[in-house]
Amino acid sequence: MNIVRDLQIYQKARENIGLVSVLVVAGLLRFLFLTAKAPHFDEGVYGFFVQEIWRRGFFPYDPTNFHGPTYYYALQLAEQILGRGVFAFRFASGVFSMLTVFYVWRLNKPSGRILFALYHARIDVRFVSGIIRISLL
């Protein structure tokens, strides 16, 4: 009986070590050189929409727009916490991307979790924008 319980504890610990390892690698790839690149066109558009939220107090929803308002409100929150600038936008996207890696890890079956999660822990910080784009709020 104790052997089975010890084996379960060992397997759970091994899974947690794998998850932490993947999240550390993903975090390094996303946050280490966050401001090394020049601002991209999309970041300027996001900045405009967040500025409109500051000016109007709300986001006027338009279904033909790039994203739903959830993403822009998240960027506004990042601006409130981290200050105005590209760093806040990229940091917010990186946090969403890290949550996506965690989500993918938890969804996948135990076999192949590390390879599957590492695939989604790639360098492209803007990966999460595809996930957020489907936001309907």
Side-chain angles (χ1 to χ4, degrees), residues 16-26 118:
N16 290 338
I17 289 171
L19 173 62
V20 169
S21 301
V22 168
L23 288 176
V24 166
V25 169
L118 280 174

Side-chain angles (χ1 to χ4, degrees), residues 64-86:
T64 62
N65 201 344
F66 293 107
H67 301 287
T70 305
Y71 185 62
Y72 301 122
Y73 284 120
L75 293 179
Q76 183 188 27
L77 178 65
E79 271 193 357
Q80 287 175 336
I81 296 171
L82 300 171
R84 194 169 188 181
V86 176

Side-chain angles (χ1 to χ4, degrees), residues 29-101:
L29 292 174
R30 281 159 179 74
F31 298 115
L32 195 58
F33 300 108
L34 202 57
T35 57
K37 287 177 55 178
H40 190 267
F41 169 76
D42 289 347
E43 293 167 336
V45 172
Y46 302 155
F48 170 76
F49 288 129
V50 171
Q51 189 175 25
E52 287 297 303
I53 293 173
W54 285 116
R55 190 173 64 79
R56 293 181 180 180
F58 65 95
F59 182 80
Y61 180 66
D62 178 11
T64 62
N65 201 344
F66 293 107
H67 301 287
T70 305
Y71 185 62
Y72 301 122
Y73 284 120
L75 293 179
Q76 183 188 27
L77 178 65
E79 271 193 357
Q80 287 175 336
I81 296 171
L82 300 171
R84 194 169 188 181
V86 176
F87 175 79
F89 286 3
R90 291 180 180 173
F91 190 85
S93 295
V95 168
F96 280 117
S97 183
M98 293 289 293
L99 290 172
T100 303
V101 171

Side-chain angles (χ1 to χ4, degrees), residues 117-131:
L118 280 174
Y119 172 75
H120 290 285
R122 60 188 187 266
I123 296 172
D124 188 6
V125 174
R126 290 164 298 197
F127 167 75
V128 76
S129 68
I131 301 297

